[in-house]
Amino acid sequence: MCRGPSRVGEVFRSRLTVGLAALVIFAFTSSTLQAQPEPTVRHIVITLNKSRVVSFAMPFKTASVASTEIADVTPLTDHSLYIQGKGIGTTSISVFNQNMQLVELLDLEVAIDTQTLQGRIRGETRSNSIRVLSDNGAVVLAGVAPNAPIADRAVTIAQNAGVTVINQMTVAPTQQVMLKVRFLEASRTAERDLGINWFGTNASGTRGFSTGLGTPTIGPTPTITSSTTGGTTTTTATANNTGGISIIKSAGALVGSTGIPFATVLANLAHDSVNLDVMISALENKNLVRTLAEPDLVTVSGEKATFLAGGEFPVPQVAATTTGQGVTPTFQFEQFGVGLDFVPTVLDRGVISLRLAPSVSELDFANAVTISGTTIPGLTVRKAATTIELRDGQSFAIAGMYQSRNARNLDQVPWLGSVPVLGALFRSSAFQNAETDLVILVTVHLVQPATPMDHLATPLDKSLPSNDADFFINGQEEVPKRYSDYVTSGGNVNGPYGYILPIEQGSNQPVYKNGAPK
């Protein structure tokens, strides 16, 4: 009976001891957890393949890096850490104290060397407006590029560094280029002719001779008559002897189809038993032809522009289809006139690269071809194709051609024309000289569109077609536009017009109220 209370007391004491122990452990653990400090977080950026030493205010025991492929960590002292960047990316470094408590967390970013890359881009593009940034392992190109070629070059340089490139650059406003082309061609020709022609016949005109270009009619000229008797027609030729050839006939024989000479001397040396005529012709001809064409064309940098002032002519082609009635003809139109194709590209520092192909062509009927009754003219073409670089306002002669042709013709009577001195009486001489000089000049300008306040001039701004009175009475095909302005819009008068303005009595000034007539 006495053992029961004693056993209960032992059990109570043991349970009390366990509870007190658990309470002590819980209190100790709680105090330990409350005493551990919160770790601080620092963001650190290190350039790829470079190192950095990071210092700490409190001593630490060890440090651990999450990704060894991005960075290596080596403790130097208990207050400093040596970090080396190995790969582009982000990772974290955990730093523990003597009690293996996390005291600091380093947010590490290994990025490309943006300063070196930006220096390389500036050196090769010579542009200071492009910025190089780093964002989560990628290179960001920002800023304003002067033109598209420089922007493309900057992206290429960054991609050659082996990194991901994000292009956030903007290109400066598109530049427009105006090209002025001048075609200058001068054609000069000179010709001199000197000839002596002889014509002679006997008194009856049955025998004769001639030298030179003409061939006179020698012998009697027959007169042809016809008569009809009983349904039968009889033709009779009667000789009509003119007694030789006259001076006028000699001139016509000489000239033929070549045209009348500019200077001609005709003489009849004998008119008795022998008719002897002589003709001396002299001609000097000079021609000067100047061709000038100045096409102007504007286009955006990098875009092709085409200009043509001329026309097209049809050229028959091989038939493509046939019908029951025959072959259906087809035609292809060929262009001629003043043409211009060019592609401008605005480079750095105002340099403009031009790829241009100007041409001037005209129809040449002297070399035409006739096929099945259709005449196809030839083309006389002067053209060039080249690439040059100019600055704003500069000019260049891209093509030039000088051509000279000399021709000397001598027609003479055999043997007699070769006799010294006297041989000049039996020959005709001609000298021809032709010169052609062609030059193509180009001038380039950077242009901007006109503002809304600018008024662009046209060739019709200063004149208007005349009315019946001006044309029939005054003989004017056009009248100054100012004359019409006074009638229709008030001319040079400044202020409201288009309606009658009341004039105040005793004054020659209109009366206004709130900016308008009363």
Side-chain angles (χ1 to χ4, degrees):
M1 296 295 296
C2 296
R3 293 180 180 177
S6 174
R7 182 63 179 175
V8 172
E10 291 178 359
V11 172
F12 177 76
R13 284 194 297 271
S14 62
R15 290 181 178 179
L16 181 61
T17 302
V18 172
L20 291 175
L23 182 61
V24 170
I25 294 173
F26 176 77
F28 177 78
T29 304
S30 299
S31 61
T32 303
L33 293 175
Q34 292 179 358
Q36 182 176 357
E38 290 292 333
T40 59
V41 179
R42 276 196 289 173
H43 181 72
I44 299 176
V45 179
I46 299 178
T47 303
L48 178 64
N49 298 326
K50 292 186 178 181
S51 59
R52 179 178 176 180
V53 177
V54 180
S55 300
F56 300 90
M58 301 294 294
F60 67 91
K61 182 179 180 181
T62 184
S64 176
V65 60
S67 176
T68 57
E69 296 179 354
I70 296 178
D72 279 340
V73 178
T74 303
L76 296 180
T77 64
D78 58 351
H79 287 78
S80 60
L81 197 63
Y82 179 82
I83 304 176
Q84 182 181 9
K86 296 173 58 179
I88 297 176
T90 58
T91 186
S92 61
I93 300 177
S94 302
V95 180
F96 300 92
N97 58 10
Q98 300 294 334
N99 298 323
M100 296 304 295
Q101 296 176 346
L102 181 63
V103 295
E104 192 162 352
L105 184 64
L106 301 181
D107 185 11
L108 179 63
E109 178 183 356
V110 179
I112 192 171
D113 190 356
T114 57
Q115 293 183 353
T116 302
L117 181 58
Q118 183 161 357
R120 187 182 307 168
I121 292 177
R122 289 182 178 180
E124 296 191 22
T125 63
R126 298 184 180 181
S127 174
N128 297 327
S129 58
I130 300 177
R131 301 191 309 272
V132 180
L133 306 175
S134 178
D135 182 17
N136 195 21
V139 171
V140 180
L141 299 180
V144 179
N147 50 59
I150 289 182
D152 295 339
R153 180 58 180 165
V155 172
T156 302
I157 295 173
Q159 290 176 346
N160 291 337
V163 296
T164 303
V165 179
I166 301 176
N167 186 5
Q168 294 184 353
M169 293 183 294
T170 59
V171 181
T174 304
Q175 293 176 297
Q176 300 177 89
V177 181
M178 180 182 70
L179 186 67
K180 300 173 65 70
V181 181
R182 300 177 62 192
F183 297 88
L184 304 174
E185 182 178 12
S187 178
R188 305 176 183 88
T189 59
E191 181 179 358
R192 294 192 300 273
D193 298 301
L194 178 61
I196 299 178
N197 295 16
W198 297 90
F199 303 92
T201 61
N202 57 8
S204 61
T206 58
R207 298 290 185 271
F209 70 93
S210 66
T211 65
L213 302 178
T215 302
T217 300
I218 300 175
T221 303
T223 301
I224 300 174
T225 59
S226 300
S227 62
T228 304
T229 303
T232 302
T233 302
T234 302
T235 302
T236 304
T238 304
N240 183 16
N241 195 347
T242 59
I245 60 174
S246 65
I247 296 178
I248 301 301
K249 289 184 178 180
S250 299
L254 169 66
V255 174
S257 61
T258 59
I260 300 176
F262 183 78
T264 305
V265 177
L266 301 175
N268 182 256
L269 302 182
H271 192 64
D272 294 331
S273 60
V274 176
N275 290 300
L276 185 60
D277 300 333
V278 64
M279 175 179 290
I280 302 175
S281 61
L283 172 66
E284 184 175 4
N285 184 20
K286 295 182 179 181
N287 294 322
L288 174 61
V289 179
R290 300 181 64 186
T291 303
L292 175 62
E294 296 188 21
D296 297 346
L297 199 58
V298 178
T299 186
V300 177
S301 174
E303 298 293 333
K304 180 180 179 180
T306 301
F307 174 89
L308 176 65
E312 296 181 344
F313 65 96
V315 177
Q317 302 294 315
V318 177
T321 59
T322 59
T323 62
Q325 302 298 327
V327 179
T328 301
T330 60
F331 295 90
Q332 178 178 350
F333 287 85
E334 298 292 338
Q335 297 179 345
F336 69 93
V338 178
L340 174 63
D341 296 341
F342 84 105
V343 179
T345 303
V346 180
L347 305 178
D348 191 17
R349 296 176 297 171
V351 177
I352 304 172
S353 176
L354 292 175
R355 289 189 289 114
L356 67 160
S359 64
V360 177
S361 59
E362 58 185 354
L363 299 180
D364 183 10
F365 288 93
N367 297 318
V369 178
T370 302
I371 302 176
S372 301
T374 302
T375 301
I376 306 171
L379 282 178
T380 300
V381 182
R382 283 85 72 197
K383 62 182 179 180
T386 185
T387 301
I388 59 175
E389 290 186 356
L390 296 174
R391 294 184 180 273
D392 184 15
Q394 290 184 336
S395 300
F396 214 107
I398 65 169
M401 181 190 71
Y402 176 78
Q403 185 177 6
S404 178
R405 296 194 309 270
N406 292 324
R408 290 173 172 83
N409 297 325
L410 184 64
D411 299 326
Q412 66 180 15
V413 177
W415 300 300
L416 294 179
S418 300
V419 177
V421 182
L422 295 179
L425 300 176
F426 300 95
R427 63 173 176 252
S428 298
S429 304
F431 169 78
Q432 295 179 347
N433 183 25
E435 296 180 354
T436 302
D437 195 1
L438 172 66
V439 178
I440 301 178
L441 305 176
V442 296
T443 304
V444 66
H445 295 280
L446 294 175
V447 296
Q448 297 292 335
T451 63
M453 300 302 296
D454 294 335
H455 299 282
L456 301 180
T458 66
L460 303 178
D461 286 345
K462 296 183 179 180
S463 62
L464 289 175
S466 59
N467 54 25
D468 292 345
D470 293 326
F471 181 71
F472 291 105
I473 298 177
N474 299 328
Q476 296 179 336
E477 299 178 354
E478 293 180 332
V479 295
K481 196 171 184 180
R482 182 171 299 179
Y483 168 80
S484 178
D485 288 345
Y486 274 103
V487 177
T488 59
S489 58
N492 289 331
V493 178
N494 295 322
Y497 53 87
Y499 47 84
I500 298 176
L501 302 180
I503 305 299
E504 188 179 18
Q505 186 176 4
S507 173
N508 59 356
Q509 299 295 328
V511 179
Y512 294 92
K513 181 179 181 180
N514 296 331
K518 291 182 179 179

